[in-house]
Amino acid sequence: MSLRLGDVAPDFTAQSTEGTINFHEFLGDSWGVLFSHPADYTPVCTTELGAVAKLREEFAKRNVKVIALSVDGLESHKGWIGDINETQNTTVNFPIIADEDKKVSALYDMIHPNANESFTVRSVFVIGPDKKIKLTITYPASTGRNFDELLRVIDSLQLTANYSVATPANWKEGEEVVVAPAIKTEDIPARFPKGHRVIKPYLRMTPQPNK
Ligand code: BEZ
């Protein structure tokens, strides 16, 4: 059965370009992003891993550890990293799991046989410090991911983990947020002293509380 939001992210030990990794130990108290790509030495994947490497500081600011995966082997990964660094003008700064036996891909249901029998699709799992899955996204091989969107979602996940708010459509860091339905309108001033707007009894907006 596929993994669902709120499930504990399965633990595993695997070979990676930065040595043997135990996933839960690697995550420690951080947030995590585990993402798969179909194959090494392919054009879209090359741009994706370069894009993630360039976002190193953005992930670090959010206390997020990143780890990639494909079913290619360690030597292939190591050679390809040279190409990524060269062509994308960056330095890959996160481990890439060599999942040749497809153990981790199977645990995370990253191979979708009706799309491709042998290669992982572009899966993304965001994992919280409690090791639970907070977000899953799946893209096909033909579409490179939008990693700015991934950062935006992480901002929302981290905000809503700490405050009784939700984020509206297309929300970005710093914009107004929605007061959680569980909060009574009369309790909003005490909970959200920066102010609020009642648009409908069920639609109450407030400035982002941690800004
Ligand atoms: C790519 O990364 O370019 C790619 C990988 C597998 C299928 C199609 C494209």
Side-chain angles (χ1 to χ4, degrees):
M1 196 171 76
S2 58
L3 293 169
R4 294 177 173 168
L5 302 190
D7 291 354
V8 172
D11 196 15
F12 57 82
T13 298
Q15 299 304 309
S16 87
T17 49
E18 297 188 7
T20 303
I21 281 186
N22 171 266
F23 188 48
H24 282 193
E25 270 175 30
F26 166 79
L27 291 174
D29 296 329
S30 302
W31 288 71
V33 169
L34 169 65
F35 71 111
S36 58
H37 57 272
D40 296 356
Y41 295 104
T42 51
V44 176
C45 300
T46 300
T47 63
E48 282 195 325
L49 271 69
V52 172
K54 286 180 185 165
L55 291 174
R56 176 198 177 97
E57 283 180 16
E58 294 299 323
F59 286 114
K61 236 170 31 190
R62 292 164 176 81
N63 190 28
V64 177
K65 288 193 172 169
V66 172
I67 186 164
L69 173 149
S70 82
V71 298
D72 290 312
L74 214 44
E75 289 317 306
S76 166
H77 284 349
K78 286 180 178 168
W80 180 45
I81 283 174
D83 282 6
I84 298 169
N85 292 347
E86 177 196 327
T87 62
Q88 307 304 302
N89 198 22
T90 188
T91 302
V92 170
N93 42 41
F94 50 86
I96 308 176
I97 295 167
D99 192 36
E100 281 183 293
D101 61 5
K102 302 183 179 166
K103 197 178 82 184
V104 181
S105 315
L107 262 183
Y108 280 82
D109 199 25
M110 289 166 164
I111 294 180
H112 297 196
N114 291 326
N116 188 295
E117 295 237 336
S118 352
F119 299 124
T120 41
V121 291
R122 299 188 196 280
S123 300
V124 184
F125 292 86
V126 178
I127 296 150
D130 59 1
K131 308 285 185 295
K132 291 189 177 162
I133 296 172
K134 307 298 181 189
L135 175 97
T136 65
I137 320 179
T138 307
Y139 284 56
S142 52
T143 304
R145 285 161 280 203
N146 182 332
F147 292 98
D148 292 331
E149 165 63 3
L150 183 59
L151 291 174
R152 188 194 75 85
V153 175
I154 290 169
D155 286 341
S156 171
L157 290 171
Q158 294 186 338
L159 176 70
T160 59
N162 289 313
Y163 296 90
S164 296
V165 298
T167 59
N170 300 327
W171 173 86
K172 287 201 240 31
E173 181 75 6
E175 293 179 356
E176 236 184 1
V177 298
V178 169
V179 177
I183 307 290
K184 291 188 186 140
T185 297
E186 59 267 32
D187 294 337
I188 294 178
R191 299 284 298 265
F192 299 99
K194 290 182 179 170
H196 69 282
R197 299 188 295 131
V198 178
I199 299 167
K200 290 281 180 190
Y202 59 86
L203 177 56
R204 294 92 40 95
M205 310 298 293
T206 189
Q208 184 174 330
N210 63 345
K211 282 280 157 186

